[in-house]
C-alpha cells in the first residue's frame, strides 16, 4: 500500500486521528472517515494490560499493525516504534521496515534533537516518519510534571525540537500535553502539520486513544480526554443480561438455533428409536 500521508496533511483542513489496534475497530474508524489511524504503543496499556508502554515489543506492534492495515481502505496507518527499537540508525531502519511490511504507511518515534540523525537516515530510505514531542510516554514514566512547555526555556526547547524534526524530514508531529500557547507557535512555524493530544485547539489535527474516547478505559482519567460514549457500562450491562439469560434458559431461542428438515428429523427419530 503506497498511501502518502502528504496528500492529506496539507494544512487545508483539520486532521482527525484516532488509535486502533484491531481489525474491527480500525474498520469502524475507516468507515467513519478518520484521516489517520495510529497503531499506538498505548496498546500495551489498553490491549495488553501493562502499566506503561515499555514492555511492548516489535512482534506486538507488527501483529496490531497487520490487523489494522487489513481493515483500512482509506485512512493512513501510522505505527509506533516501541521502546528500545530505534536506538541507532540500522536498528531503526530494520524495525521500521518490519512495521511497513506489516502494513504501516508511516512510523512514529518519540523524541527531539536526540533522534534527528536517525530520522534523517530513515527518510533518506523513503520511510515516512511521524515525530512525537511533549509528553513522551516511553521515557517519562511516573514523572510528575506531565504538561510540557510550562516555562520559557521548556517552550524554546520544544520549539527548537519541532523545527529540527521538520528539517530531518518528519512528515508531521504529534504534540502530547503541550501548553496551547506553545502549540500555537509551533504550528504556525512549521510547514508540516501538528496533531495534538491534550495540546489545545491550535494544532492542525487532533488524536485520541479510542478506548478513552469511547469510555472503554477509565484509568487514569486525563483532562484532555473527551468521552464521546460510556461504552464500558453499556458492555457490562449487556454481558450481565447475557449471563442472566443463559442461567435462566432465555438464550438461545429458536431465533438463534438451526433446525433439520422435518422429513430428515422423522427419519432420525426412527433410527434413534430402533437403535436405543
Ligand atoms: O501510543 C499512543 O497511543 C500515542 C498517542 C497517545 C499519541 O502515542
Amino acid at each position: 500500500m503506497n498511501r502518502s500521508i502528504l496528500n492529506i496533511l496539507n494544512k487545508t483542513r483539520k486532521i482527525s486521528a484516532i488509535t486502533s489496534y484491531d481489525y474491527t475497530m480500525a474498520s469502524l474508524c475507516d468507515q467513519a472517515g478518520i484521516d489517520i489511524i495510529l497503531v499506538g504503543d498505548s496498546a500495551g496499556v489498553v490491549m495488553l494490560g501493562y502499566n506503561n508502554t515499555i514492555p511492548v515489543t516489535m512482534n506486538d506492534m507488527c501483529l496490531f499493525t497487520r490487523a489494522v492495515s487489513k481493515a483500512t481502505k482509506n485512512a493512513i496507518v501510522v505505527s509506533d516504534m516501541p521502546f528500545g527499537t530505534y536506538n541507532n540508525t540500522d536498528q531503526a531502519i530494520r524495525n521500521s521496515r518490519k512495521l511497513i511490511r506489516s502494513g504501516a504507511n508511516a512510523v512514529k518515534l518519540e523524541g527531539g534533537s536526540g533522534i534527528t540523525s536517525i530520522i534523517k537516515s530513515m527518510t533518506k530510505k523513503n520511510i515516512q516518519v511521524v515525530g512525537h514531542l511533549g509528553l513522551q510516554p516511553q521515557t517519562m514514566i511516573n514523572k510528575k510534571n506531565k504538561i510540557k512547555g510550562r516555562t520559557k526555556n521548556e517552550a524554546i526547547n520544544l520549539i527548537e525540537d519541532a523545527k529540527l524534526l521538520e528539517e530531518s524530514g518528519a512528515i508531521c508531529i504529534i504534540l502530547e500535553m503541550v501548553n496551547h500557547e506553545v502549540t500555537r507557535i509551533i504550528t504556525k512555524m512549521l510547514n508540516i502539520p501538528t496533531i495534538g493530544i491534550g495540546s489545545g485547539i491550535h494544532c492542525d489535527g487532533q488524536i485520541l486513544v479510542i478506548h478513552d474516547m469511547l469510555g472503554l478505559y477509565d484509568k487514569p482519567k486525563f483532562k484532555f480526554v473527551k468521552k464521546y460514549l460510556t461504552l464500558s457500562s453499556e458492555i457490562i450491562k449487556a454481558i450481565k443480561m447475557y449471563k442472566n439469560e443463559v442461567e435462566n434458559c432465555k438464550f438461545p431461542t429458536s431465533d438463534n438455533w438451526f433446525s433439520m428438515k422435518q422429513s430428515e428429523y422423522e427419519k432420525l427419530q426412527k433410527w434413534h428409536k430402533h437403535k436405543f
Side-chain angles (χ1 to χ4, degrees):
M1 198 166 25
N2 189 23
R3 230 171 266 160
S4 172
I5 207 163
L6 294 169
N7 292 343
I8 65 150
L9 303 189
N10 54 11
K11 289 200 178 224
T12 52
R13 65 165 169 82
K14 295 275 183 181
I15 297 158
S16 58
I18 208 161
T19 68
S20 280
Y21 319 95
D22 68 292
Y23 178 88
T24 306
M25 282 292 189
S27 167
L28 297 175
C29 294
D30 197 53
Q31 287 173 56
I34 284 289
D35 294 314
I36 298 177
I37 299 182
L38 172 70
V39 187
D41 59 356
S42 49
V45 178
V46 297
M47 297 294 287
L48 302 174
Y50 302 135
N51 288 331
N52 53 58
T53 58
I54 302 302
V56 176
T57 64
M58 274 307 300
N59 282 346
D60 295 332
M61 291 308 295
C62 287
L63 179 70
F64 293 131
T65 302
R66 277 202 300 279
V68 167
S69 77
K70 214 165 186 314
T72 307
K73 293 198 173 75
N74 297 307
I76 284 160
V77 177
V78 178
S79 288
D80 259 336
M81 299 201 54
F83 176 73
T85 64
Y86 51 100
N87 291 330
N88 58 60
T89 302
D90 288 348
Q91 189 196 29
I93 290 174
R94 199 173 51 250
N95 283 325
S96 54
R97 282 186 171 151
K98 286 184 189 164
L99 292 172
I100 287 161
R101 276 199 297 275
S102 301
N105 304 116
V107 296
K108 175 164 81 63
L109 279 64
E110 292 180 11
S113 55
I115 58 163
T116 47
S117 64
I118 293 177
I119 296 181
K120 264 186 203 153
S121 308
M122 292 169 79
T123 54
K124 267 195 200 134
K125 301 266 181 197
N126 292 325
I127 298 163
Q128 302 196 97
V129 177
V130 172
H132 185 146
L133 293 173
L135 179 78
Q136 294 163 35
Q138 292 177 5
T139 46
M140 293 178 179
I141 309 157
N142 298 331
K143 290 235 169 96
K144 277 221 171 104
N145 290 321
K146 294 199 185 297
I147 300 159
K148 301 293 157 196
R150 284 162 308 138
T151 62
K152 180 185 141 206
N153 285 346
E154 224 179 75
I156 291 173
N157 280 342
L158 270 169
I159 292 165
E160 287 177 352
D161 273 352
K163 195 69 202 156
L164 284 174
L165 288 186
E166 178 173 66
E167 284 165 5
S168 307
I171 51 172
C172 78
I173 301 177
I174 302 265
L175 296 176
E176 182 163 356
M177 289 183 83
V178 174
N179 277 330
H180 77 107
E181 297 89 345
V182 184
T183 295
R184 180 165 54 190
I185 294 173
I186 293 176
T187 304
K188 273 198 161 170
M189 172 187 76
L190 296 182
N191 294 310
I192 57 170
T194 58
I195 298 181
I197 174 158
S199 299
I201 193 73
H202 302 298
C203 289
D204 295 302
Q206 297 293 328
I207 182 162
L208 283 176
V209 171
I210 194 156
H211 288 61
D212 292 339
M213 60 89 70
L214 292 182
L216 278 167
Y217 187 86
D218 289 329
K219 42 173 189 170
K221 205 164 160 254
F222 289 112
K223 175 182 167 184
F224 64 78
V225 174
K226 180 169 176 189
K227 263 198 204 174
Y228 287 81
L229 270 177
T230 312
L231 266 189
S232 54
S233 51
E234 292 301 305
I235 290 175
I236 292 169
K237 216 191 312 172
I239 295 170
K240 279 186 175 165
M241 267 169 70
Y242 164 71
K243 173 181 155 66
N244 187 280
E245 289 193 1
V246 168
E247 286 175 358
N248 293 294
C249 297
K250 291 199 168 138
F251 174 83
T253 68
S254 57
D255 285 345
N256 315 110
W257 66 55
F258 306 95
S259 301
M260 292 175 87
K261 267 191 186 161
Q262 188 59 27
S263 56
E264 287 301 310
Y265 181 49
E266 279 163 15
K267 282 186 222 163
L268 179 66
Q269 273 182 320
K270 263 189 204 158
W271 172 86
H272 190 227
K273 242 188 212 162
H274 171 75
K275 196 94 179 160
F276 304 102

